Amino acid sequence: QVRLVESGGGLVQPGGSLRLSCAASGVTFSTYATSWYRQAPGKERELVAAITSAGGNTNYADSVKGRFTISRDNAKNTMYLQMNNLKPEDTAVYYCNLSRDSRRYWGQGTQVTVSS
């Protein structure tokens, strides 16, 4: 049984930082590409950042480049999203995702709210 457990969301003021974590179990984590998506109210889910299985390549949505950093620790079966200089438009539910071939797994989501 694959399980993805996210943590680290919360309320933060504009300009602040948060670090999201996603711990995986029931899967050979190191063989999966991993990514973070987000979904704001009334909007479609969008890709925020992705990282390859070995961590050698990353890509980011233009809206978060230079502010967010995706990383992973295959020894801990965990992926991260460091979010700096947060803006109100970053407010959304953030989801972690594992994918390989036709297999895709999602976390339950963690709320990030950026507000003064």
Side-chain angles (χ1 to χ4, degrees):
Q1 179 182 358
V2 179
R3 189 175 183 214
L4 303 180
V5 179
E6 298 155 356
S7 60
L11 174 64
V12 64
Q13 292 186 342
S17 297
L18 284 174
R19 189 193 196 202
L20 305 183
S21 299
C22 175
S25 59
V27 65
T28 307
F29 181 77
S30 61
T31 66
Y32 284 76
T34 57
S35 53
W36 289 95
Y37 285 74
R38 67 186 181 187
Q39 187 166 19
K43 295 187 177 181
E44 293 186 353
R45 190 173 297 190
E46 63 173 354
L47 177 65
V48 175
I51 187 168
T52 51
S53 57
N57 290 292
T58 59
N59 66 280
Y60 298 90
D62 287 343
S63 59
V64 306
K65 281 181 181 176
R67 300 188 298 121
F68 290 11
T69 302
I70 188 171
S71 61
R72 60 190 293 164
D73 185 338
N74 286 344
K76 296 182 178 179
N77 289 354
T78 302
M79 58 186 289
Y80 306 96
L81 185 67
Q82 177 68 43
M83 304 185 294
N84 298 328
N85 190 22
L86 282 159
K87 303 177 180 180
E89 52 263 42
D90 295 318
T91 295
V93 178
Y94 284 71
Y95 299 89
C96 60
N97 172 272
L98 269 61
S99 63
R100 188 187 75 185
D101 301 326
S102 61
R103 301 176 185 177
R104 293 176 71 87
Y105 303 106
W106 294 92
Q108 81 285 358
T110 185
Q111 177 70 47
V112 172
T113 301
V114 185
S115 175
S116 55

